[in-house]
Amino acid sequence: MSRNIIRSSNAIVAAQDFYTAWSEGDDNLKLHKITQTLNYSIDYSRQQSKQIGSQDLSSNEIYNQPDVNLNITYIPEPEFSNEVQGRFLDTPPLTSFQSIFNPSDVKDSNNFYVFFSENQEESFLDNSLTSFDNTLNFSGDDAIAFGNCFPESYSLSYAVGGLPTVSTSYICSNVVFDNLTGTSMQKPAINLTGGNNDNVGRSTFHFTKDLSTVALEKAPPIVNPTNAGSDVTLQNLQVGGQEISGRHLVQSVNMNVSIPRVSAYGLGNDYAFERKRQFPANGSFSVSSQVSGFESGAMTGVLNSDQLYQFDLTLEASGKTMIYRIEEAKLGSYNYSMDINGRMNFDASFTFPVTQEKGLKLSGTAY
């Protein structure tokens, strides 16, 4: 039936299958896998000025194109396809470790698309996205396209009784709404050096697949912390108290990396012509566990025992694994809590710097 409301089953998320957001050529798309949530906002920053002798504003104007803030949450998968699309990684880190934020400045952004089926009762992934080998016709469908999306943060969290989720955020230069006709649409990317989209290429509705079959592409392996191959390898604290080097009492882990960016503007350009990354990025890691006992140690010895820690978070799915390695972490704080008729809980938090060579590294075996 004809659509009268947009539902999640009517939509899919995709990214440009190319190493940079702007190009004059036509490029294919790649499905963004196991997407859970998507939201975006636009901040219309205004510059206000007054003048002597008046209570009114003399100016309340927008002088630059507004930034678009895009957030996407998904379930991670061993191929790290979404991380490559989001430009957190340059290539899939198969078997060997790669540092996060390792793409060059030229390859630091991408374009994202959300496609909506015209039929309310249609499942876009099952019905419209019927083939990864042919160019599709999306006439009658709609799209929201985000151009020049620069990654700003990456978070991983999971706990007992739940699946892992990754939350990512981007600062984008452009957003386009399009009623689609045919087999392609104009890319939303802006040529940031020129401040326009003159001669920009088109996005062809041809979806590139990663794995050997379409079925695996649409339904990739789901990692689960309770699987036999999943593990949490934690270095034990050197200040005494609860031991955290085991995994049997760990209840939850949370990891976040955010990278500051400086948006540069120039005369004759309404768009930021550069969003320079400021290394090191800021990493944080926290772990929560139940207390089984205490090891010898005293807080008074923390100055002598302050050290760097390494943690490995391994997630497994049907024999395929993905590993997050946190390096050179320093203890920030820890606390104990206990309620009546409850168990004693222990929480510890760490910070770690991230560069393109160290800090947070990812590895996976997807085949």
Side-chain angles (χ1 to χ4, degrees):
M1 62 179 293
S2 178
R3 184 180 69 210
N4 53 31
I5 191 171
I6 293 176
R7 300 187 302 179
S8 60
S9 61
N10 304 141
I12 60 169
V13 181
Q16 205 78 56
D17 186 24
F18 195 57
Y19 63 85
T20 185
W22 167 267
S23 71
E24 295 184 356
D26 297 345
D27 295 300
N28 295 335
L29 298 170
K30 184 169 285 187
L31 181 67
H32 194 276
K33 300 177 183 177
I34 331 180
T35 305
Q36 302 297 292
T37 63
L38 179 143
N39 65 78
Y40 72 96
S41 61
I42 303 174
D43 182 18
Y44 291 91
S45 298
R46 297 179 179 272
Q47 297 186 26
Q48 298 180 339
S49 61
K50 297 181 65 175
Q51 61 180 332
I52 295 175
S54 173
Q55 296 181 358
D56 292 327
L57 294 173
S58 60
S59 175
N60 185 19
E61 306 296 333
I62 301 171
Y63 287 95
N64 296 308
Q65 287 292 336
D67 293 330
V68 181
N69 298 301
L70 174 66
N71 303 293
I72 305 177
T73 301
Y74 54 91
I75 298 173
E77 50 86 27
E79 184 129 21
F80 289 104
S81 174
N82 292 346
E83 282 73 11
V84 175
Q85 296 172 32
R87 309 315 295 146
F88 294 99
L89 297 173
D90 197 27
T91 58
L94 301 178
T95 67
S96 61
F97 282 98
Q98 278 196 41
S99 293
I100 200 169
F101 295 123
N102 66 353
S104 65
D105 290 341
V106 175
K107 302 179 181 180
D108 191 28
S109 68
N110 202 359
N111 306 318
F112 283 93
Y113 302 80
V114 188
F115 296 104
F116 303 95
S117 169
E118 66 173 332
N119 296 320
Q120 178 184 355
E121 296 181 352
E122 181 174 300
S123 173
F124 206 121
L125 190 61
D126 294 332
N127 297 333
S128 297
L129 200 59
T130 56
S131 174
F132 282 76
D133 300 318
N134 300 315
T135 300
L136 305 175
N137 191 321
F138 282 174
S139 293
D141 296 334
D142 299 321
I144 305 176
F146 303 88
N148 311 93
C149 301
F150 294 81
E152 286 193 304
S153 70
Y154 183 95
S155 302
L156 170 73
S157 62
Y158 56 94
V160 173
L163 292 176
T165 57
V166 168
S167 299
T168 56
S169 66
Y170 306 85
I171 182 170
C172 314
S173 297
N174 193 29
V175 62
V176 174
F177 299 86
D178 201 348
N179 303 121
L180 303 176
T181 57
T183 59
S184 67
M185 65 176 289
Q186 189 181 63
K187 294 178 187 176
I190 300 295
N191 184 348
L192 298 182
T193 58
N196 57 62
N197 65 344
D198 295 346
N199 301 316
V200 69
R202 299 185 69 82
S203 294
T204 303
F205 303 148
H206 184 112
F207 286 78
T208 305
K209 62 182 179 181
D210 285 328
L211 303 176
S212 58
T213 67
V214 175
L216 286 175
E217 184 73 26
K218 292 183 178 181
I222 301 295
V223 293
N224 193 326
T226 63
N227 288 350
S230 297
D231 199 0
V232 180
T233 305
L234 306 174
Q235 245 182 295
N236 199 34
L237 296 178
Q238 300 302 305
V239 293
Q242 163 69 5
E243 181 179 356
I244 65 168
S245 57
R247 66 170 179 145
H248 59 288
L249 296 178
V250 172
Q251 301 298 293
S252 66
V253 294
N254 293 274
M255 182 269 298
N256 173 266
V257 179
S258 60
I259 186 163
R261 289 185 179 271
V262 176
S263 298
Y265 293 88
L267 296 177
N269 194 334
D270 291 334
Y271 296 88
F273 62 83
E274 188 178 50
R275 300 192 191 274
K276 190 70 174 179
R277 294 170 291 188
Q278 304 296 298
F279 287 105
N282 305 308
S284 63
F285 174 72
S286 62
V287 57
S288 178
S289 68
Q290 295 179 351
V291 178
S292 60
F294 302 102
E295 291 199 337
S296 298
M299 187 185 69
T300 52
V302 69
L303 294 179
N304 296 326
S305 61
D306 189 24
Q307 70 170 48
L308 302 176
Y309 295 91
Q310 177 174 302
F311 307 125
D312 281 0
L313 309 178
T314 303
L315 295 167
E316 189 267 347
S318 304
K320 303 171 178 61
T321 59
M322 56 193 308
I323 304 174
Y324 293 85
R325 173 164 292 174
I326 299 169
E327 301 175 324
E328 299 188 4
K330 285 197 170 185
L331 179 64
S333 66
Y334 63 89
N335 68 80
Y336 293 86
S337 62
M338 183 172 61
D339 297 324
I340 293 177
N341 298 325
R343 299 176 179 179
M344 178 173 281
N345 296 312
F346 170 79
D347 301 285
S349 64
F350 302 81
T351 59
F352 55 97
V354 176
T355 69
Q356 290 180 304
E357 289 78 33
K358 63 180 183 180
L360 177 61
K361 294 181 178 179
L362 290 71
S363 175
T365 54
Y367 297 101

